[in-house]
Amino acid sequence: MRRFCSLALVVVPIVLLPLLPVRAATVLDMPEFRMDDPDLAGGLKSAYLAHQDGRYLEAYATIKRAILDDDPRAWFFLGWLYETGRGTQRNVASAMHAYKKSAEFGNVTAPFRRCNLLLRGTDEQQQEAAEILTKLAETRAADAGLMLGEAYALGLIGDAPSFEKAQKWWKGSADAGEARALINLSLLMEGKYGFKEQLNPDAALEHLRRASEIGNAVAMAALGSRFLNGREGLRNEEKGLKWLRHAAALNVADADLVLGDHEANQLQNFVQARTHYEAAIKHGSVAALLRLGILSQRGLGAEANLDAALKLFKQAAARGSGEGAHLAASLLLNAKSDTNQAALTAEGYRFLLAAASQRTAAQVDLALLYLSGRLGVADPVSAAAWFDRAARLNDPQAQNNLAALFESGTGVTRNLQSAFNLYRLASRRGHPAATTALGRIHERGIGMEKDRITAWALYSVAAGLKDKDGARLLGELTTTLDAIELSAARKKLDEMKKLPNPIEKKDEEATDPAEGADPAEGTTEPAEKEAGPTAEDSPSPPVPTPDNP
């Protein structure tokens, strides 16, 4: 009766993006350094080329030798190296000094980079940045207003974030022709910076429309997604597709991603969906790698090709996608080979480890892999460690599986109290098998007095969740109850249904584990007399590594 989910092929649906997330047009995270001046020469050119090739020590040494007191480009370059710690130890004070010198000799970008650093400093430095930017706004309203708006929205200037001041400065920047300020105003009105009392979806949409009409491709994609998939009354497929196609023509990856989702989900045109996903991949979309991989895996829009799917998932994993690593692991661990099975399992294990650093579902699958013995020998101790990690992140499957380990004493010290607590936590999150397990504990009196009435109610809930074991046990128990007991059991079930969570016992004798407490720690009846130490008292199982599975 103690059931684990099997390590099965991970199937991820192609999910339609309801609203394309818009990233703030931030100026507090400046882009990579570039110097496109065709007149670069001498030491400055040599230093820049060394930097572009990744030879940062040489770049720093060269620019230090070549710098002239009145060369704003050289001072700016030196400031960049100090700011990023490339070729030298990172030194914010030296970076700000170099940017100040660059600004004094006429570099128009340097004061903004200096203010970027000042805004991350002390209260006095933040105030200095506010004064510099306010002065700059007199002649450079677009750039200065964009940065000031962000600083006030994030609370970097003043005692707290200010909606009014952020709005004021972004409006000034927008009026000066800065489309990115309109994007930020849209986010402000959508509540992305907080200020929930100021929500104004219509104003947010209008800001995106203005940004789109002056040519901002990111705004076009966001506006199109809102027309295509937004709230009732706003949706307009024709307008949505128009703006998304404009954005896609301007190489916005997210626009092709949304268009591909529309083709796949709404129109079931997987051939066209693949075309959009391929375009999005060319422009850097990791999500499109996953979607195209899923289409290849399922044979949608072309013949199924697991090798192509695996290649795409690996590419996504290489770019930091935990989902890509999980999908790659799933294909590898479910692949069959007469000659290469061990190598496939080892590679799948490595990808699953990578995925487990980001995804609780991967942590559960990794634990199941340790239990399976497919790595050479079953390792329930490591399995328990990974189940515990995911259980603490409120994953109901992990809670159910860890409960089963505590109930049987597999990989952990047997502890029925911890098992009961974990089953109950998983059941409250709608886990069918955990609900059945709670019913079994009550029916059989495992570590507690038998309670067939509560057991029948719990089996009923589990059966309603399509749990086959729960339905079977419900049928078996029903045949043993007399009319009075059945009436009481139905009344118990009715009481459960009236509660916010149907498996809560109205007359619980014990309190829940505290929020954030160890879910396996014994806090709730039943208490078993010979139960060993709780999970909190037990030594933590070692976290496995590729070198020590």
Side-chain angles (χ1 to χ4, degrees):
M1 292 298 299
R2 292 183 294 275
R3 287 178 290 150
F4 302 95
C5 67
S6 60
L7 186 64
L9 186 68
V10 178
V11 178
V12 178
I14 303 172
V15 179
L16 181 68
L17 288 175
L19 287 180
L20 183 65
V22 188
R23 297 173 185 85
T26 179
V27 286
L28 299 186
D29 290 306
M30 293 285 191
E32 180 66 26
F33 175 79
R34 295 183 60 191
M35 191 176 288
D36 297 328
D37 190 339
D39 296 329
L40 288 180
L44 180 56
K45 182 175 182 179
S46 298
Y48 180 64
L49 292 176
H51 177 272
Q52 293 300 93
D53 290 340
R55 294 177 281 118
Y56 300 133
L57 287 171
E58 180 182 340
Y60 175 71
T62 302
I63 198 64
K64 286 286 285 185
R65 290 194 301 269
I67 198 165
L68 299 173
D69 279 347
D70 60 351
D71 189 337
R73 297 171 303 175
W75 279 110
F76 188 90
F77 191 10
L78 182 62
W80 169 264
L81 295 178
Y82 277 127
E83 180 182 350
T84 58
R86 292 180 177 178
T88 184
Q89 186 173 358
R90 186 171 190 269
N91 189 319
V92 173
S94 295
M96 288 194 291
H97 171 73
Y99 288 141
K100 185 175 182 180
K101 294 285 287 185
S102 179
E104 288 172 355
F105 294 122
N107 186 292
V108 296
T109 304
F112 292 98
R113 290 214 71 93
R114 180 165 176 256
C115 285
N116 175 49
L117 295 176
L118 288 169
L119 286 170
R120 300 176 188 276
T122 64
D123 290 346
E124 291 76 13
Q125 289 175 323
Q126 290 171 346
Q127 188 56 44
E128 182 182 355
E131 293 170 0
I132 293 171
L133 290 168
T134 301
K135 181 67 175 176
L136 284 168
E138 296 175 4
T139 55
R140 299 191 60 186
D143 296 328
L146 185 64
M147 182 173 274
L148 278 167
E150 185 175 6
Y152 279 113
L154 297 176
L156 298 179
I157 302 173
D159 297 330
S162 171
F163 175 91
E164 290 75 16
K165 290 182 179 180
Q167 184 182 46
K168 167 194 166 184
W169 285 109
W170 277 333
K171 279 187 173 181
S173 177
D175 290 342
E178 178 55 78
R180 293 176 297 170
L182 288 166
I183 292 175
N184 286 0
L185 281 168
S186 178
L187 294 172
L188 187 68
M189 296 303 176
E190 287 184 345
K192 298 301 190 297
Y193 286 93
F195 311 112
K196 299 299 183 182
E197 70 283 358
Q198 301 283 357
L199 290 179
N200 190 332
D202 292 333
L205 192 71
E206 176 60 18
H207 290 311
L208 283 180
R209 186 193 60 77
R210 284 182 59 197
S212 299
E213 289 182 348
I214 62 176
N216 187 278
V218 172
M220 292 178 191
L223 182 64
S225 77
R226 280 150 178 76
F227 278 129
L228 195 62
N229 306 313
R231 68 184 187 276
E232 198 67 36
L234 169 65
R235 291 178 200 156
N236 185 314
E237 183 174 323
E238 182 180 356
K239 288 183 178 180
L241 293 175
K242 182 193 81 169
W243 284 114
L244 285 166
R245 286 166 182 158
H246 281 324
L250 294 170
N251 300 330
V252 177
D254 282 344
D256 271 307
L257 184 69
V258 175
L259 287 168
D261 288 349
H262 179 69
E263 295 287 349
N265 289 277
Q266 301 299 317
L267 306 180
Q268 300 292 294
N269 186 341
F270 297 108
V271 173
Q272 190 61 34
R274 294 176 73 94
T275 299
H276 284 297
Y277 292 147
E278 288 165 356
I281 289 169
K282 288 180 182 178
H283 299 116
S285 173
V286 174
L289 287 168
L290 300 175
R291 286 176 173 59
L292 187 58
I294 292 166
L295 294 185
S296 299
Q297 177 183 343
R298 298 186 193 171
L300 299 174
E303 290 187 11
N305 188 331
L306 295 185
D307 289 336
L310 180 60
K311 181 179 179 181
L312 290 161
F313 295 150
K314 285 183 175 181
Q315 288 175 4
R319 294 178 58 185
S321 170
E323 185 177 353
H326 197 186
L327 289 164
S330 176
L331 285 180
L332 290 162
L333 292 169
N334 284 279
K336 302 296 181 185
S337 172
D338 294 332
T339 59
N340 202 31
Q341 196 65 53
L344 289 171
T345 300
E347 188 178 9
Y349 167 68
R350 289 194 293 272
F351 275 103
L352 198 52
L353 265 179
S357 67
Q358 299 182 39
R359 294 168 59 83
T360 56
Q363 293 168 10
V364 173
D365 279 348
L366 183 58
L368 291 166
L369 183 62
Y370 280 115
L371 281 177
S372 71
R374 291 178 59 187
L375 296 175
V377 62
D379 185 356
V381 174
S382 293
W386 282 104
F387 282 145
D388 179 73
R389 183 170 173 177
R392 292 171 186 271
L393 295 172
N394 295 325
D395 184 281
Q397 185 64 61
Q399 291 166 344
N400 175 74
N401 290 0
L402 185 58
L405 295 185
F406 273 112
E407 187 178 356
S408 63
T410 303
V412 292
T413 302
R414 187 169 187 258
N415 189 316
L416 296 185
Q417 189 168 350
S418 292
F420 180 86
N421 289 344
L422 284 158
Y423 280 136
R424 200 167 69 146
L425 285 173
S427 180
R428 286 175 176 171
R429 292 179 174 86
H431 194 278
T435 306
T436 296
L438 281 179
R440 174 173 51 79
I441 287 172
H442 282 86
E443 181 185 7
R444 299 181 185 180
I446 300 174
M448 65 186 303
E449 291 186 8
K450 291 182 179 180
D451 184 351
R452 300 200 306 163
I453 304 303
T454 298
W456 188 93
L458 288 165
Y459 288 151
S460 295
V461 173
L465 295 171
K466 310 302 182 184
D467 187 74
K468 292 181 179 179
D469 282 340
R472 177 178 57 80
L473 291 170
L474 175 64
E476 293 174 359
L477 181 57
T478 299
T479 63
T480 68
L481 298 179
D482 60 30
I484 295 175
E485 288 174 318
L486 275 174
S487 177
R490 291 190 178 101
K491 182 178 179 181
K492 173 67 71 174
L493 178 59
D494 288 340
E495 290 175 355
M496 287 183 177
K497 289 180 177 178
K498 293 176 183 177
L499 297 171
N501 188 297
I503 63 91
E504 284 278 13
K505 290 173 63 178
K506 190 173 182 180
D507 56 347
E508 275 187 288
E509 297 91 359
T511 59
D512 294 337
E515 188 72 26
D518 183 351
E521 186 176 354
T523 58
T524 309
E525 294 293 339
E528 187 190 38
K529 291 182 180 178
E530 65 263 25
T534 66
E536 192 70 22
D537 299 323
S538 303
S540 299
V543 175
T545 66
D547 300 323
N548 180 31

